[in-house]
Amino acid sequence: MRADHGVPYADGMTRVLFETLADERHVRLFAWSSLHSEDVGTSSQGLSELVDAIEAGIRLVLPDTDRPDRDRIEAAVLLALSATYGFALGKRSWLTGLGRDPADPAHDAAFRAALSSAIATYLAEGSAPR
């Protein structure tokens, strides 16, 4: 697989994350509950199911030689979650600090595009060379 094409679903994955995290209150509640939760097993199972679904989807569209392995998919999911949650939590102060308007949706779109590209490239690097 060529890195410029990436792996299907990287853009879809970040789109879903950004739609989920559009409400800053949701992100803050999730962060608070994650830090104070005693039952981490529930969210862990959901994350494993997400990776299962992504892996199954990749299997449907890519030949064996182009597929990233499970470890790489898991790392990409963790990267996407970490970056998306971090951006959602910090974008207001960070963009303001950069002299940007945090209410401008173009910043969300640009960050999501950059993250999708990075994830697709990372996943593509984990596939066998052609």
Side-chain angles (χ1 to χ4, degrees):
M1 172 184 300
R2 292 176 25 202
D4 60 335
H5 289 277
V7 172
Y9 296 13
D11 187 59
M13 182 184 353
T14 59
R15 183 176 300 117
V16 168
L17 286 171
F18 268 72
E19 288 171 2
T20 302
L21 301 175
D23 185 342
E24 187 178 302
R25 294 171 295 181
H26 173 271
V27 175
R28 291 179 188 276
L29 283 172
F30 177 80
W32 183 87
S33 68
S34 294
L35 293 171
H36 295 88
S37 177
E38 293 182 23
D39 181 21
V40 295
T42 305
S43 63
S44 299
Q45 181 181 0
L47 188 55
S48 181
E49 291 170 0
L50 171 65
V51 173
D52 290 344
I54 292 169
E55 188 174 28
I58 289 172
R59 229 182 275 123
L60 289 173
V61 297
L62 292 178
D64 289 343
T65 57
D66 288 351
R67 287 186 204 144
D69 64 16
R70 173 77 180 208
D71 288 342
R72 191 161 280 266
I73 295 169
E74 288 176 357
V77 168
L78 292 175
L79 173 65
L81 288 169
S82 300
T84 304
Y85 275 102
F87 183 74
L89 286 170
K91 75 176 180 178
R92 189 174 353 139
S93 63
W94 296 338
L95 289 172
T96 300
L98 292 171
R100 309 284 182 161
D101 176 7
D104 183 349
H107 299 300
D108 288 356
F111 182 81
R112 189 175 69 77
L115 180 59
S116 295
S117 176
I119 290 169
T121 300
Y122 174 75
L123 287 170
E125 289 171 355
S127 60
R130 286 192 156 197

